Amino acid sequence: MKVIEAKIVVLGSQGVGKTSLVVRYIGKMFSKHISPTIGASFFTCNISVGDARVKLQVWDTAGQERFRSMAPMYYRNANAALLVFDITSVSSFNAIKGWVKELQSNVSEEMVVSLVGNKCDLQESRAVTYAEASSYAASIGAKYCETSALHDQNIEQVFLSTATALLALSATNQTMRSYDSADDERQNGSPTEEQATGKVELPAWNTDNIAHGELQRNMCC
Amino acid sequence: MASTSKDNVQASTSGQGNPADDLEPGACPESVLNPSDSFEEFASEMSSSLQERNINLKSKSSTISEIQSEICDGNKDNTEITSTKSSDDLQSKDDQMSALASSCNLSNQNGEDSDNEKDDYLQSPELVNKEKHVFVLSSAGKPIYSRYGNEDRLAGLCGVIQALVSVVEDQNQDILRSIITKDCKAVFLVKGPLILVAVSKSNESETQLVLQLTYAFNQIVSVLTLTQLNRIFEQRRNYDLRRLLSGAERLIDNLFIFMEKDPAFLLGAVRCLPLPEKARENITNAITTTCHKIRDLVFAILIAGNQLITLVRMKKYTLHPSDIHLLFNLVRSSESFKTAESWTPICLPKFDATGFLHGHVSYISEDCQACLLLLTVQRDAFFPLSQAKHTIAEKLRRSNCLVAINDALNRNQELPTTNPLKHIGIPEIRHFMYKCKSTAQLFTSDPISLDRLQDYRIRHKEGGDVSEKKIEKLSDIDYVRNYRKFCSKIHCTSSPAKLIFRSNSDDTVLAWVTNGFELYVTFDALMEKDQAIKAVDRLLRWIKREEQRIFIMNAPTF
């Protein structure tokens, strides 16, 4: 059996449901009382595609602006990205464009990008149309999918299609570890030291990068 | 009604032939926590003059960069850190000398009400009749945080606060400390680019309120670092800080709830999870043997239910209780840590306000609610730490430590520390709290269980209103509320009391401070003094006997 290891990063504005999405997929549950992610959370999961297996390291990042400067730590060397927005929020959709630009200029390796419109259970307050989102996805070469973490809609598909695309990508991409399953059983589960070396390469964590908003010259008082 | 006689206790203890002064349950030569008292610091906060305040803002040398450079330099010795810290302490003592000189307490019978009568929002139910309001605003007067209501609609009030503060500063070259009305205290604290205000109808003293505001400031620093906070406002005085704090408001909300109910804040001490000596030793060993090769690891901290299980540290560095409190608050407030391993930037203001430590935060296992924090200066150490965590969890499971932790957390009835009053067998004692000063650790007779904390939080969410109704069975929280005024007399800097004995028809309270400990005991009503002293003596002996279980008696390093 062919096994590949890949790193996937989940990006998007705060409150769009990144953690809910990942927890729904990996933990098979939904919580209304989820608290904002601080920094980033790390998950692992295995996805079977045909007779191959994809081992995913999932980095679920925090959406708050103050963690923006940390993002390069997580998308550097990632093989796939889930760009999540909230279909009821135009600003969260617009923020995706910023992420795409950032990924394009900072990640040189080819990457599987998926655009995810979450909260599709809230049709009545929809603010981003399906057509608009899917045509934007096409323009950046990404798949588009609408999901609901609340009702567990389409989430399996998002991860499965990402895994399938990763498998296809692994044929040409050297950064993913790929091997036969004979030697893989012993290292299931927690990440090992071996994986740690050379797997994650992190940039300088510079608070100068943090966004400060517009410069305002006129001061009151 | 309060008697504050030092001679009195000496007479009575020597009369009994019980030199209880020698007894210091919990004391040990080396402490994991930095036991320096916060009270003096807060007192100096209240007394420093305008110039001193501005000087204090200049950030100190960064401990984090020292550790980083030390890792590069190899094992070169560096003793600077401790000396800068102690000189700080000296400084704050000096500051107290100028205590009254610059204090500016305005007494205003009408309070703020008259200023804002026209503003309807201030009269709305979500704001009126709260026991304690907290506002944080920028020095430009922009709202940042309000405990109740919507900050946006409080812009007017924030403008008034900013005006009050700046008028006193600019025109009088002085600092506005507080405004006291008949039933209400408004306490002001200017820290860096922020103005923090507490408006309280509770029985907390001014110092205690300043302490809480300082914690709130430290909470903000813990999220952003002082460097970033200062720089943002240097660049844009008008910046709306809520953009960077979004998601962190609940940390401040929970911090205030936590401070109102947990005596740890009142006493500047940390509560430890009572564990058999052997179990704690095993846990500590599991951590040290797993982590001693990880060079950049500064602290490994295991906590459960706002209690410290163990703390292993890099040699030379200790943590201040207030930093641990912020970690407790972070872990308690973040459900998201339960779902996965997290890699989180954490700034510990007392340790180093200028930079982030990087924390691997995770719960030990699904069946044990103990949370392990591995704090490092290395930003790409996630995977080695993740592996260390799994190794530690496995070791704890194999040595049955998880069971011991769960027993303690679930307050297994067989443990002597679960119901100490019953175990001690002095029926007249209703409640006590004990702080060992040299280790900054705390033990109370009725530790708040997790569900009770949840109850309190729900009760608080519903109201936070000043309530008149009589509570039938007093809980830890109510006793702590009652101890506040005794605490403030004992920690008062001008004429601190050593012993307070107050007896009335409701209850009898004894508060006693020595060089080694602070003890607060509530007895039945109308207790005789010598009877109380006898009971206290037995109590101290019990704590001494159980000290290995109650306290962390060593200071392990990697």
mmCIF file with all atom_site columns, all heavy atoms in Angstrom, chain A residues 35 38 40 42 64 66 200 202 205 212 215, chain B residues 236 239 246 336 341 343-344 358 380 383:
data_model
loop_
_atom_site.group_PDB
_atom_site.id
_atom_site.type_symbol
_atom_site.label_atom_id
_atom_site.label_alt_id
_atom_site.label_comp_id
_atom_site.label_asym_id
_atom_site.label_entity_id
_atom_site.label_seq_id
_atom_site.pdbx_PDB_ins_code
_atom_site.Cartn_x
_atom_site.Cartn_y
_atom_site.Cartn_z
_atom_site.occupancy
_atom_site.B_iso_or_equiv
_atom_site.pdbx_formal_charge
_atom_site.auth_seq_id
_atom_site.auth_comp_id
_atom_site.auth_asym_id
_atom_site.auth_atom_id
_atom_site.pdbx_PDB_model_num
ATOM 1   N N   . SER A 1 35  ? -14.141 27.617 21.958 1.00 0.00 ? 35  SER A N   1
ATOM 2   C CA  . SER A 1 35  ? -13.531 28.920 22.216 1.00 0.00 ? 35  SER A CA  1
ATOM 3   C C   . SER A 1 35  ? -12.544 29.228 21.098 1.00 0.00 ? 35  SER A C   1
ATOM 4   O O   . SER A 1 35  ? -12.077 28.336 20.412 1.00 0.00 ? 35  SER A O   1
ATOM 5   C CB  . SER A 1 35  ? -12.819 28.896 23.569 1.00 0.00 ? 35  SER A CB  1
ATOM 6   O OG  . SER A 1 35  ? -11.724 28.020 23.518 1.00 0.00 ? 35  SER A OG  1
ATOM 7   N N   . ILE A 1 38  ? -6.121  29.638 20.069 1.00 0.00 ? 38  ILE A N   1
ATOM 8   C CA  . ILE A 1 38  ? -5.031  30.537 20.434 1.00 0.00 ? 38  ILE A CA  1
ATOM 9   C C   . ILE A 1 38  ? -3.779  29.993 19.774 1.00 0.00 ? 38  ILE A C   1
ATOM 10  O O   . ILE A 1 38  ? -3.385  28.865 20.051 1.00 0.00 ? 38  ILE A O   1
ATOM 11  C CB  . ILE A 1 38  ? -4.864  30.597 21.948 1.00 0.00 ? 38  ILE A CB  1
ATOM 12  C CG1 . ILE A 1 38  ? -6.202  30.963 22.592 1.00 0.00 ? 38  ILE A CG1 1
ATOM 13  C CG2 . ILE A 1 38  ? -3.819  31.612 22.341 1.00 0.00 ? 38  ILE A CG2 1
ATOM 14  C CD1 . ILE A 1 38  ? -6.203  30.835 24.085 1.00 0.00 ? 38  ILE A CD1 1
ATOM 15  N N   . ALA A 1 40  ? -2.247  28.026 17.299 1.00 0.00 ? 40  ALA A N   1
ATOM 16  C CA  . ALA A 1 40  ? -2.706  27.035 16.338 1.00 0.00 ? 40  ALA A CA  1
ATOM 17  C C   . ALA A 1 40  ? -2.854  25.689 17.028 1.00 0.00 ? 40  ALA A C   1
ATOM 18  O O   . ALA A 1 40  ? -2.190  25.424 18.020 1.00 0.00 ? 40  ALA A O   1
ATOM 19  C CB  . ALA A 1 40  ? -1.722  26.915 15.190 1.00 0.00 ? 40  ALA A CB  1
ATOM 20  N N   . PHE A 1 42  ? -2.929  21.405 16.484 1.00 0.00 ? 42  PHE A N   1
ATOM 21  C CA  . PHE A 1 42  ? -2.346  20.399 15.609 1.00 0.00 ? 42  PHE A CA  1
ATOM 22  C C   . PHE A 1 42  ? -3.135  19.099 15.689 1.00 0.00 ? 42  PHE A C   1
ATOM 23  O O   . PHE A 1 42  ? -3.425  18.617 16.783 1.00 0.00 ? 42  PHE A O   1
ATOM 24  C CB  . PHE A 1 42  ? -0.894  20.162 16.040 1.00 0.00 ? 42  PHE A CB  1
ATOM 25  C CG  . PHE A 1 42  ? -0.191  19.108 15.249 1.00 0.00 ? 42  PHE A CG  1
ATOM 26  C CD1 . PHE A 1 42  ? 0.306   19.392 13.989 1.00 0.00 ? 42  PHE A CD1 1
ATOM 27  C CD2 . PHE A 1 42  ? -0.018  17.835 15.764 1.00 0.00 ? 42  PHE A CD2 1
ATOM 28  C CE1 . PHE A 1 42  ? 0.959   18.421 13.258 1.00 0.00 ? 42  PHE A CE1 1
ATOM 29  C CE2 . PHE A 1 42  ? 0.635   16.858 15.035 1.00 0.00 ? 42  PHE A CE2 1
ATOM 30  C CZ  . PHE A 1 42  ? 1.123   17.155 13.773 1.00 0.00 ? 42  PHE A CZ  1
ATOM 31  N N   . GLN A 1 64  ? -7.709  35.302 14.567 1.00 0.00 ? 64  GLN A N   1
ATOM 32  C CA  . GLN A 1 64  ? -7.603  36.667 15.077 1.00 0.00 ? 64  GLN A CA  1
ATOM 33  C C   . GLN A 1 64  ? -6.423  37.405 14.454 1.00 0.00 ? 64  GLN A C   1
ATOM 34  O O   . GLN A 1 64  ? -5.394  36.805 14.161 1.00 0.00 ? 64  GLN A O   1
ATOM 35  C CB  . GLN A 1 64  ? -7.412  36.677 16.595 1.00 0.00 ? 64  GLN A CB  1
ATOM 36  C CG  . GLN A 1 64  ? -8.705  36.691 17.370 1.00 0.00 ? 64  GLN A CG  1
ATOM 37  C CD  . GLN A 1 64  ? -9.254  35.306 17.532 1.00 0.00 ? 64  GLN A CD  1
ATOM 38  O OE1 . GLN A 1 64  ? -8.504  34.357 17.535 1.00 0.00 ? 64  GLN A OE1 1
ATOM 39  N NE2 . GLN A 1 64  ? -10.566 35.191 17.621 1.00 0.00 ? 64  GLN A NE2 1
ATOM 40  N N   . ARG A 1 66  ? -4.248  39.303 15.672 1.00 0.00 ? 66  ARG A N   1
ATOM 41  C CA  . ARG A 1 66  ? -2.955  39.328 16.345 1.00 0.00 ? 66  ARG A CA  1
ATOM 42  C C   . ARG A 1 66  ? -2.114  38.097 16.038 1.00 0.00 ? 66  ARG A C   1
ATOM 43  O O   . ARG A 1 66  ? -0.917  38.090 16.282 1.00 0.00 ? 66  ARG A O   1
ATOM 44  C CB  . ARG A 1 66  ? -3.120  39.515 17.845 1.00 0.00 ? 66  ARG A CB  1
ATOM 45  C CG  . ARG A 1 66  ? -3.773  38.372 18.555 1.00 0.00 ? 66  ARG A CG  1
ATOM 46  C CD  . ARG A 1 66  ? -3.732  38.599 20.065 1.00 0.00 ? 66  ARG A CD  1
ATOM 47  N NE  . ARG A 1 66  ? -4.293  37.474 20.774 1.00 0.00 ? 66  ARG A NE  1
ATOM 48  C CZ  . ARG A 1 66  ? -5.592  37.295 20.977 1.00 0.00 ? 66  ARG A CZ  1
ATOM 49  N NH1 . ARG A 1 66  ? -6.458  38.172 20.510 1.00 0.00 ? 66  ARG A NH1 1
ATOM 50  N NH2 . ARG A 1 66  ? -6.027  36.235 21.626 1.00 0.00 ? 66  ARG A NH2 1
ATOM 51  N N   . VAL A 1 200 ? 9.307   20.632 9.505  1.00 0.00 ? 200 VAL A N   1
ATOM 52  C CA  . VAL A 1 200 ? 8.769   21.962 9.762  1.00 0.00 ? 200 VAL A CA  1
ATOM 53  C C   . VAL A 1 200 ? 9.913   22.952 9.792  1.00 0.00 ? 200 VAL A C   1
ATOM 54  O O   . VAL A 1 200 ? 10.808  22.858 10.612 1.00 0.00 ? 200 VAL A O   1
ATOM 55  C CB  . VAL A 1 200 ? 8.041   22.006 11.117 1.00 0.00 ? 200 VAL A CB  1
ATOM 56  C CG1 . VAL A 1 200 ? 7.429   23.365 11.326 1.00 0.00 ? 200 VAL A CG1 1
ATOM 57  C CG2 . VAL A 1 200 ? 6.991   20.932 11.170 1.00 0.00 ? 200 VAL A CG2 1
ATOM 58  N N   . LEU A 1 202 ? 10.648  26.870 10.158 1.00 0.00 ? 202 LEU A N   1
ATOM 59  C CA  . LEU A 1 202 ? 9.854   28.021 10.563 1.00 0.00 ? 202 LEU A CA  1
ATOM 60  C C   . LEU A 1 202 ? 10.605  29.321 10.336 1.00 0.00 ? 202 LEU A C   1
ATOM 61  O O   . LEU A 1 202 ? 11.808  29.410 10.560 1.00 0.00 ? 202 LEU A O   1
ATOM 62  C CB  . LEU A 1 202 ? 9.475   27.866 12.037 1.00 0.00 ? 202 LEU A CB  1
ATOM 63  C CG  . LEU A 1 202 ? 8.636   26.617 12.253 1.00 0.00 ? 202 LEU A CG  1
ATOM 64  C CD1 . LEU A 1 202 ? 8.635   26.221 13.697 1.00 0.00 ? 202 LEU A CD1 1
ATOM 65  C CD2 . LEU A 1 202 ? 7.232   26.813 11.755 1.00 0.00 ? 202 LEU A CD2 1
ATOM 66  N N   . TRP A 1 205 ? 9.938   34.863 13.654 1.00 0.00 ? 205 TRP A N   1
ATOM 67  C CA  . TRP A 1 205 ? 8.652   35.320 14.167 1.00 0.00 ? 205 TRP A CA  1
ATOM 68  C C   . TRP A 1 205 ? 8.787   36.784 14.511 1.00 0.00 ? 205 TRP A C   1
ATOM 69  O O   . TRP A 1 205 ? 9.268   37.159 15.555 1.00 0.00 ? 205 TRP A O   1
ATOM 70  C CB  . TRP A 1 205 ? 8.317   34.487 15.382 1.00 0.00 ? 205 TRP A CB  1
ATOM 71  C CG  . TRP A 1 205 ? 6.948   34.731 15.863 1.00 0.00 ? 205 TRP A CG  1
ATOM 72  C CD1 . TRP A 1 205 ? 6.092   35.705 15.465 1.00 0.00 ? 205 TRP A CD1 1
ATOM 73  C CD2 . TRP A 1 205 ? 6.263   33.954 16.813 1.00 0.00 ? 205 TRP A CD2 1
ATOM 74  N NE1 . TRP A 1 205 ? 4.907   35.573 16.112 1.00 0.00 ? 205 TRP A NE1 1
ATOM 75  C CE2 . TRP A 1 205 ? 4.988   34.525 16.950 1.00 0.00 ? 205 TRP A CE2 1
ATOM 76  C CE3 . TRP A 1 205 ? 6.573   32.848 17.564 1.00 0.00 ? 205 TRP A CE3 1
ATOM 77  C CZ2 . TRP A 1 205 ? 4.044   34.013 17.809 1.00 0.00 ? 205 TRP A CZ2 1
ATOM 78  C CZ3 . TRP A 1 205 ? 5.644   32.358 18.423 1.00 0.00 ? 205 TRP A CZ3 1
ATOM 79  C CH2 . TRP A 1 205 ? 4.385   32.927 18.542 1.00 0.00 ? 205 TRP A CH2 1
ATOM 80  N N   . HIS A 1 212 ? -1.250  46.866 11.617 1.00 0.00 ? 212 HIS A N   1
ATOM 81  C CA  . HIS A 1 212 ? -1.654  47.865 12.613 1.00 0.00 ? 212 HIS A CA  1
ATOM 82  C C   . HIS A 1 212 ? -2.825  48.704 12.144 1.00 0.00 ? 212 HIS A C   1
ATOM 83  O O   . HIS A 1 212 ? -3.192  49.662 12.777 1.00 0.00 ? 212 HIS A O   1
ATOM 84  C CB  . HIS A 1 212 ? -0.498  48.793 12.932 1.00 0.00 ? 212 HIS A CB  1
ATOM 85  C CG  . HIS A 1 212 ? 0.611   48.101 13.640 1.00 0.00 ? 212 HIS A CG  1
ATOM 86  N ND1 . HIS A 1 212 ? 0.421   47.438 14.820 1.00 0.00 ? 212 HIS A ND1 1
ATOM 87  C CD2 . HIS A 1 212 ? 1.897   47.940 13.315 1.00 0.00 ? 212 HIS A CD2 1
ATOM 88  C CE1 . HIS A 1 212 ? 1.565   46.914 15.211 1.00 0.00 ? 212 HIS A CE1 1
ATOM 89  N NE2 . HIS A 1 212 ? 2.472   47.189 14.298 1.00 0.00 ? 212 HIS A NE2 1
ATOM 90  N N   . LEU A 1 215 ? -2.961  54.351 9.165  1.00 0.00 ? 215 LEU A N   1
ATOM 91  C CA  . LEU A 1 215 ? -2.285  55.391 9.928  1.00 0.00 ? 215 LEU A CA  1
ATOM 92  C C   . LEU A 1 215 ? -3.239  56.564 10.048 1.00 0.00 ? 215 LEU A C   1
ATOM 93  O O   . LEU A 1 215 ? -3.787  57.031 9.057  1.00 0.00 ? 215 LEU A O   1
ATOM 94  C CB  . LEU A 1 215 ? -1.026  55.803 9.173  1.00 0.00 ? 215 LEU A CB  1
ATOM 95  C CG  . LEU A 1 215 ? 0.006   56.559 9.970  1.00 0.00 ? 215 LEU A CG  1
ATOM 96  C CD1 . LEU A 1 215 ? 0.680   55.599 10.937 1.00 0.00 ? 215 LEU A CD1 1
ATOM 97  C CD2 . LEU A 1 215 ? 1.013   57.179 9.044  1.00 0.00 ? 215 LEU A CD2 1
ATOM 98  N N   . ARG B 2 236 ? 0.469   54.902 16.542 1.00 0.00 ? 236 ARG B N   1
ATOM 99  C CA  . ARG B 2 236 ? -0.885  55.411 16.307 1.00 0.00 ? 236 ARG B CA  1
ATOM 100 C C   . ARG B 2 236 ? -1.587  55.573 17.631 1.00 0.00 ? 236 ARG B C   1
ATOM 101 O O   . ARG B 2 236 ? -2.119  54.623 18.172 1.00 0.00 ? 236 ARG B O   1
ATOM 102 C CB  . ARG B 2 236 ? -1.679  54.434 15.441 1.00 0.00 ? 236 ARG B CB  1
ATOM 103 C CG  . ARG B 2 236 ? -1.471  54.625 13.974 1.00 0.00 ? 236 ARG B CG  1
ATOM 104 C CD  . ARG B 2 236 ? -1.896  53.387 13.255 1.00 0.00 ? 236 ARG B CD  1
ATOM 105 N NE  . ARG B 2 236 ? -0.880  52.375 13.415 1.00 0.00 ? 236 ARG B NE  1
ATOM 106 C CZ  . ARG B 2 236 ? 0.008   52.075 12.473 1.00 0.00 ? 236 ARG B CZ  1
ATOM 107 N NH1 . ARG B 2 236 ? -0.028  52.677 11.327 1.00 0.00 ? 236 ARG B NH1 1
ATOM 108 N NH2 . ARG B 2 236 ? 0.931   51.167 12.672 1.00 0.00 ? 236 ARG B NH2 1
ATOM 109 N N   . TYR B 2 239 ? -5.183  54.251 17.898 1.00 0.00 ? 239 TYR B N   1
ATOM 110 C CA  . TYR B 2 239 ? -5.450  52.876 17.456 1.00 0.00 ? 239 TYR B CA  1
ATOM 111 C C   . TYR B 2 239 ? -6.577  52.238 18.263 1.00 0.00 ? 239 TYR B C   1
ATOM 112 O O   . TYR B 2 239 ? -6.701  52.454 19.467 1.00 0.00 ? 239 TYR B O   1
ATOM 113 C CB  . TYR B 2 239 ? -4.164  52.057 17.614 1.00 0.00 ? 239 TYR B CB  1
ATOM 114 C CG  . TYR B 2 239 ? -4.288  50.668 17.055 1.00 0.00 ? 239 TYR B CG  1
ATOM 115 C CD1 . TYR B 2 239 ? -4.171  50.454 15.688 1.00 0.00 ? 239 TYR B CD1 1
ATOM 116 C CD2 . TYR B 2 239 ? -4.529  49.584 17.889 1.00 0.00 ? 239 TYR B CD2 1
ATOM 117 C CE1 . TYR B 2 239 ? -4.305  49.187 15.164 1.00 0.00 ? 239 TYR B CE1 1
ATOM 118 C CE2 . TYR B 2 239 ? -4.663  48.313 17.374 1.00 0.00 ? 239 TYR B CE2 1
ATOM 119 C CZ  . TYR B 2 239 ? -4.550  48.122 16.000 1.00 0.00 ? 239 TYR B CZ  1
ATOM 120 O OH  . TYR B 2 239 ? -4.687  46.866 15.496 1.00 0.00 ? 239 TYR B OH  1
ATOM 121 N N   . SER B 2 246 ? -9.340  40.972 20.024 1.00 0.00 ? 246 SER B N   1
ATOM 122 C CA  . SER B 2 246 ? -10.582 40.227 19.799 1.00 0.00 ? 246 SER B CA  1
ATOM 123 C C   . SER B 2 246 ? -10.349 38.761 20.138 1.00 0.00 ? 246 SER B C   1
ATOM 124 O O   . SER B 2 246 ? -9.342  38.167 19.770 1.00 0.00 ? 246 SER B O   1
ATOM 125 C CB  . SER B 2 246 ? -11.060 40.381 18.360 1.00 0.00 ? 246 SER B CB  1
ATOM 126 O OG  . SER B 2 246 ? -10.219 39.674 17.505 1.00 0.00 ? 246 SER B OG  1
ATOM 127 N N   . SER B 2 336 ? -10.650 25.239 23.687 1.00 0.00 ? 336 SER B N   1
ATOM 128 C CA  . SER B 2 336 ? -10.013 24.722 22.467 1.00 0.00 ? 336 SER B CA  1
ATOM 129 C C   . SER B 2 336 ? -8.764  23.896 22.778 1.00 0.00 ? 336 SER B C   1
ATOM 130 O O   . SER B 2 336 ? -8.359  23.079 21.964 1.00 0.00 ? 336 SER B O   1
ATOM 131 C CB  . SER B 2 336 ? -9.674  25.867 21.516 1.00 0.00 ? 336 SER B CB  1
ATOM 132 O OG  . SER B 2 336 ? -8.769  26.751 22.112 1.00 0.00 ? 336 SER B OG  1
ATOM 133 N N   . GLU B 2 341 ? -3.593  19.322 20.461 1.00 0.00 ? 341 GLU B N   1
ATOM 134 C CA  . GLU B 2 341 ? -2.375  19.953 20.954 1.00 0.00 ? 341 GLU B CA  1
ATOM 135 C C   . GLU B 2 341 ? -2.320  21.358 20.369 1.00 0.00 ? 341 GLU B C   1
ATOM 136 O O   . GLU B 2 341 ? -2.612  21.555 19.195 1.00 0.00 ? 341 GLU B O   1
ATOM 137 C CB  . GLU B 2 341 ? -1.155  19.186 20.444 1.00 0.00 ? 341 GLU B CB  1
ATOM 138 C CG  . GLU B 2 341 ? -1.020  17.806 21.019 1.00 0.00 ? 341 GLU B CG  1
ATOM 139 C CD  . GLU B 2 341 ? 0.081   17.033 20.303 1.00 0.00 ? 341 GLU B CD  1
ATOM 140 O OE1 . GLU B 2 341 ? 1.198   17.561 20.184 1.00 0.00 ? 341 GLU B OE1 1
ATOM 141 O OE2 . GLU B 2 341 ? -0.195  15.915 19.861 1.00 0.00 ? 341 GLU B OE2 1
ATOM 142 N N   . TRP B 2 343 ? -0.140  25.094 19.843 1.00 0.00 ? 343 TRP B N   1
ATOM 143 C CA  . TRP B 2 343 ? 1.161   25.765 19.808 1.00 0.00 ? 343 TRP B CA  1
ATOM 144 C C   . TRP B 2 343 ? 0.853   27.242 19.895 1.00 0.00 ? 343 TRP B C   1
ATOM 145 O O   . TRP B 2 343 ? 0.291   27.826 18.974 1.00 0.00 ? 343 TRP B O   1
ATOM 146 C CB  . TRP B 2 343 ? 1.882   25.394 18.503 1.00 0.00 ? 343 TRP B CB  1
ATOM 147 C CG  . TRP B 2 343 ? 3.285   25.867 18.401 1.00 0.00 ? 343 TRP B CG  1
ATOM 148 C CD1 . TRP B 2 343 ? 3.803   26.626 17.385 1.00 0.00 ? 343 TRP B CD1 1
ATOM 149 C CD2 . TRP B 2 343 ? 4.377   25.596 19.296 1.00 0.00 ? 343 TRP B CD2 1
ATOM 150 N NE1 . TRP B 2 343 ? 5.135   26.840 17.603 1.00 0.00 ? 343 TRP B NE1 1
ATOM 151 C CE2 . TRP B 2 343 ? 5.511   26.228 18.763 1.00 0.00 ? 343 TRP B CE2 1
ATOM 152 C CE3 . TRP B 2 343 ? 4.488   24.895 20.504 1.00 0.00 ? 343 TRP B CE3 1
ATOM 153 C CZ2 . TRP B 2 343 ? 6.763   26.178 19.392 1.00 0.00 ? 343 TRP B CZ2 1
ATOM 154 C CZ3 . TRP B 2 343 ? 5.720   24.854 21.122 1.00 0.00 ? 343 TRP B CZ3 1
ATOM 155 C CH2 . TRP B 2 343 ? 6.834   25.476 20.575 1.00 0.00 ? 343 TRP B CH2 1
ATOM 156 N N   . THR B 2 344 ? 1.165   27.815 21.039 1.00 0.00 ? 344 THR B N   1
ATOM 157 C CA  . THR B 2 344 ? 0.569   29.079 21.424 1.00 0.00 ? 344 THR B CA  1
ATOM 158 C C   . THR B 2 344 ? 1.613   30.069 21.922 1.00 0.00 ? 344 THR B C   1
ATOM 159 O O   . THR B 2 344 ? 2.443   29.707 22.757 1.00 0.00 ? 344 THR B O   1
ATOM 160 C CB  . THR B 2 344 ? -0.436  28.803 22.573 1.00 0.00 ? 344 THR B CB  1
ATOM 161 O OG1 . THR B 2 344 ? -1.436  27.934 22.098 1.00 0.00 ? 344 THR B OG1 1
ATOM 162 C CG2 . THR B 2 344 ? -1.075  30.052 23.075 1.00 0.00 ? 344 THR B CG2 1
ATOM 163 N N   . HIS B 2 358 ? 6.967   30.302 23.715 1.00 0.00 ? 358 HIS B N   1
ATOM 164 C CA  . HIS B 2 358 ? 6.126   29.489 22.858 1.00 0.00 ? 358 HIS B CA  1
ATOM 165 C C   . HIS B 2 358 ? 5.680   28.285 23.657 1.00 0.00 ? 358 HIS B C   1
ATOM 166 O O   . HIS B 2 358 ? 6.506   27.583 24.230 1.00 0.00 ? 358 HIS B O   1
ATOM 167 C CB  . HIS B 2 358 ? 6.887   29.074 21.611 1.00 0.00 ? 358 HIS B CB  1
ATOM 168 C CG  . HIS B 2 358 ? 7.556   30.246 20.961 1.00 0.00 ? 358 HIS B CG  1
ATOM 169 N ND1 . HIS B 2 358 ? 6.895   31.083 20.109 1.00 0.00 ? 358 HIS B ND1 1
ATOM 170 C CD2 . HIS B 2 358 ? 8.795   30.759 21.116 1.00 0.00 ? 358 HIS B CD2 1
ATOM 171 C CE1 . HIS B 2 358 ? 7.712   32.050 19.751 1.00 0.00 ? 358 HIS B CE1 1
ATOM 172 N NE2 . HIS B 2 358 ? 8.871   31.882 20.355 1.00 0.00 ? 358 HIS B NE2 1
ATOM 173 N N   . ASP B 2 380 ? 10.382  26.856 16.869 1.00 0.00 ? 380 ASP B N   1
ATOM 174 C CA  . ASP B 2 380 ? 10.081  25.710 16.005 1.00 0.00 ? 380 ASP B CA  1
ATOM 175 C C   . ASP B 2 380 ? 10.232  24.378 16.745 1.00 0.00 ? 380 ASP B C   1
ATOM 176 O O   . ASP B 2 380 ? 10.591  23.367 16.172 1.00 0.00 ? 380 ASP B O   1
ATOM 177 C CB  . ASP B 2 380 ? 10.957  25.730 14.755 1.00 0.00 ? 380 ASP B CB  1
ATOM 178 C CG  . ASP B 2 380 ? 12.406  25.894 15.118 1.00 0.00 ? 380 ASP B CG  1
ATOM 179 O OD1 . ASP B 2 380 ? 12.710  25.880 16.331 1.00 0.00 ? 380 ASP B OD1 1
ATOM 180 O OD2 . ASP B 2 380 ? 13.240  26.032 14.218 1.00 0.00 ? 380 ASP B OD2 1
ATOM 181 N N   . PHE B 2 383 ? 7.427   19.871 17.433 1.00 0.00 ? 383 PHE B N   1
ATOM 182 C CA  . PHE B 2 383 ? 7.431   18.412 17.326 1.00 0.00 ? 383 PHE B CA  1
ATOM 183 C C   . PHE B 2 383 ? 8.223   17.705 18.432 1.00 0.00 ? 383 PHE B C   1
ATOM 184 O O   . PHE B 2 383 ? 7.726   16.737 18.992 1.00 0.00 ? 383 PHE B O   1
ATOM 185 C CB  . PHE B 2 383 ? 7.846   17.969 15.919 1.00 0.00 ? 383 PHE B CB  1
ATOM 186 C CG  . PHE B 2 383 ? 6.745   18.202 14.932 1.00 0.00 ? 383 PHE B CG  1
ATOM 187 C CD1 . PHE B 2 383 ? 6.778   19.271 14.057 1.00 0.00 ? 383 PHE B CD1 1
ATOM 188 C CD2 . PHE B 2 383 ? 5.623   17.388 14.924 1.00 0.00 ? 383 PHE B CD2 1
ATOM 189 C CE1 . PHE B 2 383 ? 5.725   19.504 13.180 1.00 0.00 ? 383 PHE B CE1 1
ATOM 190 C CE2 . PHE B 2 383 ? 4.572   17.613 14.045 1.00 0.00 ? 383 PHE B CE2 1
ATOM 191 C CZ  . PHE B 2 383 ? 4.622   18.671 13.166 1.00 0.00 ? 383 PHE B CZ  1
#
